[in-house]
């Protein structure tokens, strides 16, 4: 990937800002998501809550499913590959996917190496729990970052922890002297140039979304107020009582995240939220996959 | 001068920064009450057209915006903004604000792998950066529409009276020419 292509890929993420990216498992759900105002969809065979429930190895989706979803909607289509599985990524690139999510939601294919994302022309989004992780992924070529959260739980706590951590660490970088950045770069195992960017701009050099456990309009607005530039909603929509209404409400909540009166209206009568599980009730912590 | 930037979704901050560079004040439009503020021009930014229109509709802003444009409010639409303003979107099941006599083609250059950057001539001025991200182009224009830029024979910028549209993203470029051009339209309209 040359530098110009990387810029274009970061710029596509800029176009997604202020939007909601929804997990969908078939073309009907993709259409519902588009109608509800999703700015992109994530095509996958099973949503994280079901991956948790059924266990086993979770892999890239069937290309047939991805093609059907690409046919069904005009908004960007993303899909997930296993951490380190560069051949799954090559396959998605061959399908002309709009964004690849190298995702801890799927079973990792490599416990040391992430994909060298600079070798691809399609853009990648990666998860991060803290600033070091985010910048390491950017160094590897990620054009967009999202919090990891704890997918498939309907529990927003980890997304909150990760977003606060990343934002807090960036404020800390801004308070450092320039000559202190070198030591910080060593600690975080990243290039000092990336830290210089953070110090100057107070933000990541790519767009940063929230993901993992977002289930309500209030959750989405919370993440936006904490500094997210947009929101991924996975299991939260199609595991709820009234997906259409909830999807639409979350889309509006992300736009008007600081308008409590409107949020109150949006939160009304949405039917049952996804049941959700507490993280101490689960055995598998997906966020620990891939540092 | 006060420019309202539609801030429902997409790259609205980038537009505000361009105007800031030019010393022009802007404000964000997120709900119907914002449309009642003193506004000399309106920007509809890049983003997802279906998302933006859905929000315009759900928030009850469609008719007011259409009326403002019809009454001569200068408007700049980039990428998704062009699609929203077009009378017709040929390869999509519906059209949106239907304010401008053009027929647009959505995702005309294909998916993200088809996104590209080049330089082109805009209204006779050479070397303007054209950044196309899953961009549309204009397939045809009505008689009152002035074509301002083409790329490989496709129309990528046009003006009809108070409405200026580009298929590319001037808000992402390191060049303020298009924004200056729009400010001139706003200034003209005030006289």
């Amino acid at each position: 990937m040359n530098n110009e292509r990387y810029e274009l890929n970061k710029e596509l993420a800029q176009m997604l800002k202020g939007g909601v990216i929804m997990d969908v498992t078939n073309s009907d759900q993709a259409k519902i998501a588009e109608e509800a105002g999703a700015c992109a969809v994530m095509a996958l065979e099973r949503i994280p809550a079901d991956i948790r429930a059924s266990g086993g190895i979770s892999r890239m989706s069937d290309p047939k499913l991805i093609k059907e979803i690409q046919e069904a909607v005009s908004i960007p289509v993303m899909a997930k590959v296993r951490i380190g599985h560069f051949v799954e990524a090559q396959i998605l690139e061959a399908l002309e996917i709009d964004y690849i999510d190298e995702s801890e939601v799927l079973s990792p294919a490599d416990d040391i190496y992430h994909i060298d994302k600079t070798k691809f022309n399609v853009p990648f989004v990666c998860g991060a729990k803290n600033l070091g992780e985010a910048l390491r992924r950017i160094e590897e070529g990620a054009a967009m970052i999202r919090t990891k959260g704890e997918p498939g739980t309907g529990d927003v706590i980890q997304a909150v922890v990760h977003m606060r951590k990343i934002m807090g660490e960036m404020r800390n970088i801004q308070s450092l002297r320039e000559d202190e950045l070198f030591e910080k770069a060593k600690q975080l195992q990243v290039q000092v140039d990336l830290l210089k960017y953070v110090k100057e701009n107070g933000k990541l050099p790519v767009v940063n979304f929230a993901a993992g456990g977002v289930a309500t309009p209030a959750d989405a607005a919370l993440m936006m107020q904490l500094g997210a530039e947009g929101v991924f909603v996975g299991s939260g929509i199609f595991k709820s009582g009234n997906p259409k209404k909830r999807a639409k409400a979350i889309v509006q909540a992300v736009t008007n995240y600081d308008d409590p009166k409107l949020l109150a209206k949006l939160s009304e009568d949405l039917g049952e939220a996804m049941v959700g599980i507490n993280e101490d009730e689960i055995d598998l912590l997906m966020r620990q996959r891939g540092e | 001068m006060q420019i309202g930037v539609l801030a429902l979704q997409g790259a609205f901050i980038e537009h505000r920064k361009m105007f800031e560079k030019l010393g022009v004040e802007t404000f964000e439009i997120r709900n119907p009450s914002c449309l009642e503020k003193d506004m000399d021009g309106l920007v509809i930014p890049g983003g997802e057209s279906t998302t933006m229109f859905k929000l315009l509709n759900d928030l009850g802003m469609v008719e007011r915006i259409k009326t403002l444009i019809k009454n001569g409010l200068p408007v700049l639409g980039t990428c998704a903004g062009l699609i929203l303003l077009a009378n017709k979107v040929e390869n999509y099941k519906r059209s949106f604000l239907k304010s401008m006599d053009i027929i647009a083609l959505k995702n005309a250059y294909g998916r993200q792998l088809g996104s590209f950057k080049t330089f082109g001539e805009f209204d006779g001025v050479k070397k303007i950066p054209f950044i196309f991200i899953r961009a549309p182009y204009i397939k045809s224009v009505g008689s009152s529409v002035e074509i301002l830029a083409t790329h490989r024979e496709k129309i990528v910028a046009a003006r009809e009276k108070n409405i200026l549209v580009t298929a590319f993203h001037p808000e992402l470029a390191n060049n303020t020419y298009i924004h200056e051009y729009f400010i001139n339209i706003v200034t003209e309209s005030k006289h």
Side-chain angles (χ1 to χ4, degrees):
Chain A
M1 174 169 49
N2 61 29
N3 201 40
E4 190 170 296
R5 176 56 51 186
Y6 184 58
E7 289 301 316
L8 289 164
N9 287 342
K10 284 200 294 184
E11 285 161 355
L12 174 59
Q14 283 174 263
M15 296 304 140
L16 302 174
K17 280 188 304 179
V20 181
I21 299 166
M22 300 183 195
D23 278 2
V24 297
T25 57
N26 56 50
S27 54
D28 288 338
Q29 286 185 356
K31 282 182 201 154
I32 292 173
E34 184 177 47
E35 287 291 317
C39 67
V41 290
M42 177 76 68
L44 70 177
E45 268 169 38
R46 292 180 294 167
I47 53 174
D50 290 336
I51 290 173
R52 259 181 207 294
S54 57
I57 302 299
S58 199
R59 308 179 178 89
M60 175 192 81
S61 298
D62 186 335
K64 178 167 174 270
L65 172 88
I66 291 168
K67 282 196 222 157
E68 282 167 6
I69 290 171
Q70 284 176 322
E71 284 297 307
V73 294
S74 71
I75 54 179
V77 178
M78 304 183 166
K80 291 182 193 289
V81 298
R82 287 179 268 175
I83 289 173
H85 206 314
F86 52 85
V87 174
E88 284 187 348
Q90 290 164 3
I91 291 170
L92 288 186
E93 183 168 65
L95 296 174
E96 295 196 23
I97 202 81
D98 292 302
Y99 243 95
I100 295 177
D101 185 359
E102 186 182 18
S103 177
E104 67 284 1
V105 168
L106 305 183
S107 311
D110 194 316
D111 63 355
I112 298 172
Y113 300 105
H114 278 74
I115 297 171
D116 177 2
K117 293 166 274 287
T118 63
K119 293 287 184 289
F120 291 80
N121 284 319
V122 288
F124 281 75
V125 54
C126 287
K129 303 188 290 293
N130 54 53
L131 184 62
E133 223 177 308
L135 295 177
R136 288 195 292 278
R137 295 298 87 78
I138 292 166
E139 226 172 319
E140 293 160 4
M144 180 179 183
I145 291 292
R146 55 169 176 76
T147 60
K148 283 181 162 173
E150 195 51 51
T153 59
D155 189 352
V156 80
I157 180 170
Q158 290 304 330
V160 169
V161 169
H162 302 164
M163 188 56 75
R164 279 195 186 271
K165 179 93 174 147
I166 292 171
M167 302 306 282
E169 284 182 288
M170 287 199 288
R171 286 192 296 272
N172 171 264
I173 299 292
Q174 285 188 288
S175 72
L176 295 180
R177 283 167 51 96
E178 196 128 326
D179 59 4
E180 291 167 344
L181 292 179
F182 296 97
E183 178 56 26
K184 194 74 188 171
K186 277 181 231 162
Q187 286 169 17
L188 297 180
Q189 302 168 40
V190 297
Q191 288 172 13
V192 72
D193 284 350
L194 286 172
L195 289 184
K196 281 185 183 159
Y197 182 94
V198 171
K199 181 171 166 58
E200 273 164 36
N201 299 280
K203 66 184 291 298
L204 295 176
V206 304
V207 167
N208 184 18
F209 268 46
V214 175
T216 67
D219 287 349
L222 173 67
M223 297 314 302
M224 293 298 287
Q225 289 198 24
L226 287 172
E229 294 179 281
V231 175
F232 284 84
V233 186
S235 319
I237 288 174
F238 290 100
K239 275 282 163 192
S240 74
N242 189 342
K244 270 186 203 172
K245 197 169 175 190
R246 183 167 294 266
K248 183 176 141 177
I250 291 176
V251 169
Q252 279 197 51
V254 167
T255 298
N256 284 294
Y257 60 86
D258 56 0
D259 181 347
K261 274 190 184 156
L262 184 66
L263 293 173
K265 212 173 100 194
L266 293 171
S267 304
E268 214 173 280
D269 196 25
L270 289 178
E272 212 170 321
M274 75 176 278
V275 179
I277 31 176
N278 292 313
E279 61 165 351
D280 49 13
E281 294 168 348
I282 54 181
D283 299 328
L284 175 65
L285 292 178
M286 291 175 173
R287 64 178 183 269
Q288 289 171 352
R289 290 167 163 176
E291 302 280 315
Chain B
M1 188 184 290
Q2 278 276 9
I3 306 290
V5 181
L6 193 66
L8 301 179
Q9 191 270 325
F12 48 86
I13 293 163
E14 289 78 352
H15 273 292
R16 294 192 68 188
K17 283 187 182 155
M18 294 304 270
F19 285 111
E20 198 182 300
K21 273 189 204 167
L22 298 168
V24 172
E25 279 184 44
T26 60
F27 64 94
E28 292 186 358
I29 298 170
R30 288 176 185 269
N31 57 52
S33 67
C34 304
L35 290 171
E36 303 312 317
K37 291 184 192 165
D38 246 352
M39 173 163 48
D40 303 303
L42 168 70
V43 175
I44 306 182
E48 279 308 315
S49 53
T50 49
T51 303
M52 275 191 250
F53 189 75
K54 173 76 186 160
L55 285 160
L56 280 173
N57 204 39
D58 289 350
L59 293 162
M61 296 163 74
V62 173
E63 288 312 315
R64 182 71 187 134
I65 284 193
K66 285 178 78 160
T67 307
L68 285 169
I69 296 171
K70 204 172 173 190
N71 293 344
L73 177 72
V75 51
L76 167 63
T78 60
C79 193
L82 179 155
I83 293 171
L84 288 176
L85 289 162
N87 270 353
K88 194 173 172 216
V89 185
E90 194 180 74
N91 55 346
Y92 194 64
K93 59 193 171 208
R94 62 164 305 166
S95 46
F96 302 99
L97 295 170
K98 292 182 261 192
S99 298
M100 186 179 189
D101 194 6
I102 56 173
I103 297 176
L105 207 62
K106 202 173 191 248
N107 301 341
Y109 298 93
R111 301 183 182 281
Q112 175 61 8
L113 283 175
S115 295
F116 65 102
K117 182 182 176 184
T118 182
F119 290 87
E121 189 173 313
F122 178 92
D123 193 29
V125 178
K126 289 190 175 110
K127 283 270 178 189
I128 301 288
F130 289 175
I131 300 172
F132 294 94
I133 313 269
R134 286 172 47 92
Y137 62 65
I138 300 169
K139 203 174 167 219
S140 62
V141 300
S143 55
S144 59
V145 177
E146 181 190 356
I147 294 169
L148 292 171
T150 58
H151 173 69
R152 297 200 171 143
E153 286 154 34
K154 307 294 185 208
I155 305 164
V156 294
R159 176 179 176 183
E160 183 180 30
K161 298 181 204 108
N162 53 320
I163 307 173
L164 174 65
V165 292
T166 64
F168 51 87
H169 290 279
E171 75 276 22
L172 297 176
N174 195 12
N175 181 314
T176 52
Y177 187 79
I178 306 289
H179 289 82
E180 289 169 51
Y181 191 93
F182 179 64
I183 290 167
N184 282 336
I185 295 178
V186 175
T187 311
E188 276 168 31
S189 79
K190 292 182 85 166
H191 290 298

